[in-house]
């Protein structure tokens, strides 16, 4: 095995390690690290928890855990440029230099304002040999939301829905309400934990009275958002009465906000927030304005679990970045009330998928499709 093949093998292992942080590290990026010396791996690590040690620090600690490997003169493969600033943890660049690492192979440059090449510059200034670009495309696929937010300060928008084989989103009777199976629902909650906010429309709140939490939450609390053009949210809804389980943001239009001050007061008295968005030509909340506001609030990953109208609005306005579709082996026929084809009418996405992945959850099929690149 030549040197290039070995380095790629170690970087691929670092990418696999990075993926283990999904649902736990966000809004930080997922990062993995492998340290090797004399053709032998001496340390492995990944970013495990938001606010916790970064991948490089965990890999360096692994070099000394239970054995006496010396990191001096070793090489490192890391999936993202090491940080060089003091945040919740100390700069990784300083730890790498102090450990005597002689070569660092970086998959991709960190696009965030605080790093953006500064980590590489600091390492090189200390005499560390740095190479960038090994498995770069794979590293970019790992953290698209982090990349988009770093460049645009707007959230990565994930549209999620469950449907039957014949495209139904809902059933006419209670026994047909839940389309996907238990394993699919667990996967949805894992995705919720990876996001900072979840959004639905008012019709979903009125029909289902959802909590919109991640279960189990594992310490993650979502900002719960309702698109409510006419301020119709029931004051007795679970959302407005469970603020301790996650903040609630009710989004309405500027005109309705001014016209319904009594309802505004009722919502605020429940300790929820209201954002008065610009109205579009049809009198609905301007979704572009909503996403800009969420970006200002630091929302990097937004999960949209709305119904037909909300899904259609995001797609028609070209505001979706990713689709998560769960297809259950069921046919509702006339027992189904809502069809996904209504939301997709007039929309052609066939040529826009950049990456498609499929998974099986018991009998359900999940399709994950990326629509945009940043």
């Amino acid at each position: 095995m030549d040197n290039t093949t070995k380095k790629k093998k170690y970087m691929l292992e670092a990418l696999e390690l990075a993926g283990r942080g999904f649902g736990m590290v966000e809004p930080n990026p997922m990062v993995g690290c492998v340290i090797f010396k004399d053709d032998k791996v001496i340390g492995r690590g990944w970013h495990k928890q938001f606010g916790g040690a970064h991948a490089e620090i965990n890999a360096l600690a692994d070099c000394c855990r239970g054995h006496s490997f010396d990191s001096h003169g070793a090489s490192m493969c890391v999936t993202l440029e090491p940080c060089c600033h003091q945040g919740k943890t100390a700069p990784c660049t300083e730890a790498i230099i102090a450990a005597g690492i002689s070569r660092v192979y970086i998959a991709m440059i960190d696009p965030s304002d605080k790093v953006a090449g500064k980590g590489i510059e600091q390492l090189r200034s200390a005499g560390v040999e740095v190479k960038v670009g090994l498995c770069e495309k794979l590293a970019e696929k790992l953290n698209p939301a982090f990349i988009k937010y770093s460049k645009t300060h707007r959230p990565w928008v994930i549209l999620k829905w469950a449907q039957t084989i014949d495209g139904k989103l809902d059933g006419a009777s209670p026994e047909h309400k839940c389309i996907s199976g238990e394993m699919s629902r667990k996967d949805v909650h894992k995705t919720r934990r990876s996001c900072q906010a979840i959004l639905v429309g008012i019709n979903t709140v009125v029909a289902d009275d959802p909590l919109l939490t991640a279960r189990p939450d594992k310490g993650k609390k979502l900002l719960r958002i309702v698109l409510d053009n006419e301020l119709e949210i029931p004051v007795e809804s679970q959302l407005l009465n469970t603020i301790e389980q996650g903040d609630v943001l009710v989004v309405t239009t500027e005109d309705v906000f001014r016209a319904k001050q009594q309802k505004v007061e009722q919502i605020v008295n429940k300790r929820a927030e209201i954002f008065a968005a610009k109205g579009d030509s049809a009198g609905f909340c301007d979704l572009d304005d909503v996403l800009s506001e969420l970006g200002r609030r630091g929302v990097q990953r937004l999960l949209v679990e709305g119904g037909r109208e909300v899904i259609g609005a995001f797609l028609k306005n070209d505001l979706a970045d990713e689709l998560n579709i769960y297809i259950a082996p069921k046919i509702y026929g006339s027992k189904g009330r809502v069809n996904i084809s209504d939301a997709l009418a007039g929309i052609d996405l066939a040529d826009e998928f950049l990456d498609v992945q499929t998974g099986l959850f018991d009998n359900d099929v999940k399709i994950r499709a990326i629509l945009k690149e940043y």
Side-chain angles (χ1 to χ4, degrees):
M1 189 183 297
D2 60 35
N3 286 334
T4 301
T5 304
K6 288 176 183 176
K7 287 181 289 187
K8 185 175 182 181
K9 175 186 174 183
Y10 296 142
M11 187 64 81
L12 289 173
E13 182 176 356
L15 287 164
E16 186 279 325
L17 290 169
R20 299 183 187 183
F22 182 77
M24 300 301 297
V25 305
E26 296 84 3
N28 282 356
M30 293 178 281
V31 182
C33 181
V34 171
I35 301 172
F36 57 98
K37 185 177 182 180
D38 300 326
D39 296 332
K40 183 175 182 179
V41 174
I42 63 172
R44 297 177 175 88
W46 69 96
H47 187 28
K48 298 179 180 180
Q49 181 78 40
F50 178 73
H54 288 185
E56 301 93 321
I57 306 304
N58 286 329
L60 288 169
D62 190 45
C63 291
C64 305
R65 188 176 290 116
H67 40 66
S68 57
F69 289 128
D70 182 7
S71 60
H72 188 82
S75 298
M76 171 184 287
C77 279
V78 62
T79 59
L80 185 71
E81 177 183 2
C83 67
C84 54
H85 61 282
Q86 179 69 48
K88 291 182 179 294
T89 60
C92 289
T93 49
E94 294 181 4
I96 292 169
I97 294 166
I101 299 293
S102 60
R103 286 168 299 279
V104 178
Y105 300 95
I106 299 169
M108 63 170 283
I109 294 174
D110 186 329
S112 63
D113 295 337
K114 292 181 179 179
V115 187
K118 300 182 186 73
I120 294 170
E121 181 181 347
Q122 185 174 348
L123 290 173
R124 285 176 173 162
S125 296
V128 179
E129 181 183 345
V130 180
K131 300 291 184 182
V132 182
L134 181 62
C135 300
E136 183 178 24
K137 290 299 181 183
L138 292 176
E140 290 173 347
K141 284 184 178 182
L142 192 64
N143 292 297
F146 175 72
I147 294 171
K148 178 186 178 181
Y149 189 82
S150 296
K151 293 181 177 181
T152 69
H153 298 288
R154 286 165 64 97
W156 178 265
V157 178
I158 305 167
L159 301 189
K160 170 264 169 183
W161 71 83
Q163 67 175 72
T164 61
I165 290 175
D166 57 339
K168 297 300 190 297
L169 300 176
D170 198 1
S173 55
E175 63 267 27
H176 293 105
K177 267 288 185 186
C178 195
I179 291 175
S180 56
E182 183 179 354
M183 283 189 66
S184 292
R185 294 193 291 275
K186 286 183 178 180
D187 186 64
V188 170
H189 283 282
K190 186 176 181 180
T191 301
R192 285 184 178 185
R193 284 193 295 273
S194 76
C195 298
Q196 292 77 56
I198 182 170
L199 181 149
V200 297
I202 185 59
N203 291 340
T204 296
V205 175
V206 172
D208 301 332
D209 193 22
L211 273 174
L212 301 182
T213 57
R215 300 184 290 276
D217 61 36
K218 296 188 177 181
K220 300 287 286 285
K221 289 187 177 182
L222 295 165
L223 171 63
R224 300 174 291 172
I225 306 164
V226 182
L227 290 180
D228 190 1
N229 298 313
E230 299 295 333
L231 277 187
E232 298 172 316
I233 186 169
V235 291
E236 68 275 10
S237 66
Q238 288 196 93
L239 283 175
L240 293 184
N241 288 281
T242 57
I243 296 296
E244 72 283 353
Q245 296 189 41
D247 292 339
V248 173
L249 179 65
V250 179
V251 179
T252 192
T253 65
E254 294 171 334
D255 289 344
V256 171
F257 179 84
R258 286 191 292 266
K260 294 191 174 181
Q261 281 298 300
Q262 184 176 354
K263 187 61 176 284
V264 167
E265 185 177 344
Q266 290 176 335
I267 294 170
V268 171
N269 285 341
K270 290 287 187 176
R271 293 182 294 141
E273 287 187 81
I274 298 180
F275 172 61
K278 298 174 184 176
D280 63 17
S281 58
F284 299 129
C285 298
D286 185 309
L287 294 179
D288 200 63
D289 191 31
V290 173
L291 292 180
S292 294
E293 172 64 18
L294 295 182
R296 286 191 288 271
R297 290 170 176 258
V299 175
Q300 185 185 110
R301 286 171 60 90
L302 171 67
L303 181 62
V304 177
E305 292 195 14
R308 175 181 57 193
E309 290 81 7
V310 173
I311 291 169
F314 273 92
L315 290 173
K316 288 172 184 174
N317 287 282
D318 193 28
L319 295 174
D321 299 292
E322 178 181 331
L323 305 181
N324 284 192
I325 307 168
Y326 297 83
I327 304 174
K330 301 174 181 179
I331 296 175
Y332 279 2
S334 61
K335 296 178 181 177
R337 296 186 303 179
V338 182
N339 201 308
I340 186 60
S341 62
D342 297 332
L344 303 178
I347 300 172
D348 183 7
L349 299 173
D351 297 329
E352 296 188 31
F353 295 157
L354 300 179
D355 185 38
V356 177
Q357 300 172 10
T358 60
L360 191 63
F361 294 89
D362 279 342
N363 294 321
D364 298 341
V365 174
K366 178 185 178 182
I367 298 175
R368 177 177 181 261
I370 305 299
L371 306 181
K372 297 178 183 177
E373 185 175 288
Y374 290 92

